[in-house]
Amino acid sequence: MSHPPLCVTIDDRALAIELDGGSVLTVPLGPLSLLDGPLRGSDPPSPADLTNALGLVQDHLDDLLIAEPSIAAVTGVAVLGPYAEALARVEIGADHRPDGYALHRADADEVFRTLAVEAVEDRRDNPGLPADHAESIIATCCVILGIMRRLDLRAVAVGQPLRHDAGRTVP
């Protein structure tokens, strides 16, 4: 099975970015990093905290683009792993994501706007949202929207993690 030219596996505190040729770059930022950083302290987060979290994601992506300028030209991106799955599930409001699912930027923005104003206890009531992602889903939105906005993507494929060999870390 072929996959998009760029696959981003979202882990707690890192993004593993697999390029089309098989090399992997690691960005030291994930949803839990955002919860420990700009999204720490308020529930729901303030607009300034959300802006700072999105900006941090985009700053890391700028560093990545300096290291690998060819990434700016990618037309297909897959976001992988349990965090991406959780966002897909809450967007469709179901416990399972259909194969071949694509998360459209407008839909991701809508989910973000909805969840960003809910306290964690209210977020738990969203259909499809796994209980263990209620606290991290806003940070996940920031990661995925940061990627979509910085790379000017209209949609990303959502799937399961691929196997990665050790790669380079980009600050």
Side-chain angles (χ1 to χ4, degrees):
M1 175 177 149
S2 67
H3 54 81
L6 191 73
C7 293
V8 180
T9 300
I10 303 169
D11 291 322
D12 294 344
R13 298 179 188 286
L15 304 176
I17 300 170
E18 182 178 349
L19 306 175
D20 197 22
S23 63
V24 178
L25 302 172
T26 302
V27 175
L29 178 78
L32 297 187
S33 306
L34 294 177
L35 289 175
D36 290 341
L39 298 179
R40 180 183 60 238
S42 59
D43 182 37
S46 71
D49 292 342
L50 295 168
T51 298
N52 290 337
L54 284 162
L56 184 59
V57 172
Q58 292 183 352
D59 288 348
H60 278 280
L61 291 173
D62 286 342
D63 292 340
L64 179 69
L65 290 169
I66 290 168
E68 290 290 336
S70 64
I71 291 174
V74 299
T75 56
V77 173
V79 291
L80 313 169
Y83 290 101
E85 288 286 324
L87 182 54
R89 287 175 50 185
V90 75
E91 192 279 318
I92 60 176
D95 290 339
H96 300 285
R97 171 196 50 82
D99 290 340
Y101 173 79
L103 175 63
H104 294 270
R105 186 164 151 184
D107 296 332
D109 276 322
E110 183 178 334
V111 169
F112 179 62
R113 285 190 303 272
T114 300
L115 296 176
V117 297
E118 294 179 344
V120 69
E121 289 308 315
D122 295 327
R123 287 195 299 270
R124 293 183 197 287
D125 295 332
N126 282 282
L129 180 61
D132 59 338
H133 286 268
E135 292 184 24
S136 63
I137 193 68
I138 292 173
T140 299
C141 287
C142 290
V143 169
I144 292 175
L145 279 170
I147 293 167
M148 295 175 88
R149 290 175 182 178
R150 181 60 187 94
L151 298 179
D152 197 27
L153 302 170
R154 296 177 71 174
V156 292
V158 178
Q160 292 297 320
L162 304 172
R163 292 181 177 235
H164 297 290
D165 294 327
R168 294 185 293 158
T169 297
V170 179

